Amino acid sequence: MSSNIFLRPPHLPLIAPSILAADFGRIAEEVMDVQRAGADLLHVDVMDGHFVPNLTMGPDMVQAMARSCQLMRDVHLMVTDPQDFIKPFIDAGADHLTFHIEAPGLKQFGAENLIRRIHDLGATAGVALNPETPAEALEPVMNVLDLVLVMSVHPGFTGQSFMPETLEKVTWFRHRLSPRQRLEIDGGIGIRSAHDALEAGADVLVAGAAIFRASQRSGTIQLLRGDYPR
Ligand code: DX5
Ligand code: ZN
C-alpha cells in the first residue's frame, strides 16, 4: 500500500484525478503525469454494468497503477455487491474503498459490517450517495466511516454536467463530520464548481475531464485547489 493521506492530509483540499478520463492506452504515463502535475491521489472508478450502465476496471488496474505511481489509490465502487470486491481490491493495492449506500448487496451484509471489514483489512472506508439520496441515509454509519462521497452527477460516465443542488448535502455533512473525516465530491468538477464545492465544505475534489482534458494539467490542479494567480 502507499501512504493513506486521508488520515493525515498534508494540506487541504486534496485533488483526486479520476483515471476514468485518462487515455487507457497510455495509463502508466497518464498517472505519472498527473503525479508530476501536483495531484494528491488517484481516484479509480469501478463500474459493474449493473449498479451503473457502464463497465470499467478491476483489481488488475489498481495493481498496474501501484507499479507505476506512488500516489494513494482511492477506489470508488459503483457495483451491486461491494462486499465481494473488498479483499481483491485491497490485495491489489487499494488504500481506500468507497461503496454506495444504495448498493443492493448491503441489504444482506449491512453498511456497518462492510466498513468494519474494510478497516480489518487495513484500508479506510467511505460511503457514497447518489444525487437523489438524502444525506440522512448515512446517519447510522456517520461515526464509523472515514469519508463521505457526495455524487454531483448520476454515476456512470466522465464529462457530465455538475448538479449544483447537491451542494446542500455537502454543507449538511460539513456541519456533522469530525476533522478526521473527509468530505469528497465527485462529478462535473471544474474550476467554477470546485470553488462552490470548497465554499460548501468539501475537502477532497475528484476531477476527471477537467484534469485529463486540460492542456496545462498542473495549472488546472492549482486552480481546482483554489490557488489563483495574483
Ligand atoms: C462518475 C465517476 C466520476 C467521474 C468523474 O460516475 O464516479 O469519478 O469519472 O469525471 P468528471 O470529473 O469528468 O465528471
Ligand atoms: Zn468516482
Side-chain angles (χ1 to χ4, degrees):
M1 276 192 224
S2 38
S3 70
N4 186 331
I5 62 168
F6 283 164
L7 292 169
R8 274 176 223 85
H11 51 247
L12 290 172
L14 300 172
I15 305 297
S18 158
I19 64 154
L20 187 58
D23 177 351
F24 279 23
R26 304 168 43 249
I27 197 69
E29 284 164 56
E30 289 278 76
V31 295
M32 283 186 284
D33 189 62
V34 290
Q35 180 170 24
R36 275 192 302 269
D40 296 300
L41 62 136
L42 297 172
H43 182 82
V44 182
D45 288 303
V46 176
M47 305 184 186
D48 67 354
H50 292 272
F51 186 70
V52 288
N54 195 5
L55 272 174
T56 58
M57 44 202 136
D60 289 350
M61 179 64 105
V62 170
Q63 209 170 44
M65 285 179 356
R67 281 197 300 268
S68 39
C69 176
Q70 289 77 50
L71 290 179
M72 165 183 175
R73 294 165 286 276
D74 158 26
V75 173
H76 178 191
L77 294 172
M78 286 157 277
V79 303
T80 296
D81 287 303
Q83 70 280 3
D84 295 346
F85 297 100
I86 302 305
K87 189 163 187 323
F89 275 104
I90 293 176
D91 286 349
D95 305 284
H96 171 91
L97 287 171
T98 293
F99 60 88
H100 272 257
I101 196 71
E102 307 88 358
L106 294 185
K107 287 199 184 75
Q108 274 209 326
F109 206 82
E112 190 166 346
N113 279 338
L114 202 50
I115 292 171
R116 292 200 194 287
R117 180 156 168 71
I118 295 169
H119 286 162
D120 287 348
L121 292 171
T124 50
V127 187
L129 357 67
N130 283 335
E132 63 279 3
T133 303
E136 290 79 6
L138 297 200
E139 257 166 353
V141 286
M142 287 283 277
N143 293 332
V144 284
L145 51 74
D146 304 295
L147 173 146
V148 170
L149 171 53
V150 173
M151 287 305 303
S152 42
V153 296
H154 294 290
F157 299 91
T158 183
Q160 302 184 76
S161 300
F162 181 74
M163 297 168 68
E165 60 272 31
T166 59
L167 288 175
E168 260 178 51
K169 275 193 280 190
V170 174
T171 304
W172 192 93
F173 284 114
R174 176 43 62 218
H175 290 128
R176 285 162 181 85
L177 292 176
S178 79
R180 62 158 196 90
Q181 295 172 307
R182 305 272 66 82
L183 180 47
E184 186 174 42
I185 186 162
D186 181 9
I189 293 291
I191 311 298
R192 174 77 201 272
S193 47
H195 173 268
D196 295 348
L198 293 176
E199 290 241 309
D203 57 22
V204 184
L205 305 180
V206 176
I211 293 176
F212 283 101
R213 294 184 197 157
S215 51
Q216 231 281 23
R217 291 176 176 173
S218 63
T220 302
I221 288 172
Q222 275 181 330
L223 290 174
L224 290 171
R225 264 188 222 296
D227 292 342
Y228 303 109
R230 284 157 217 266

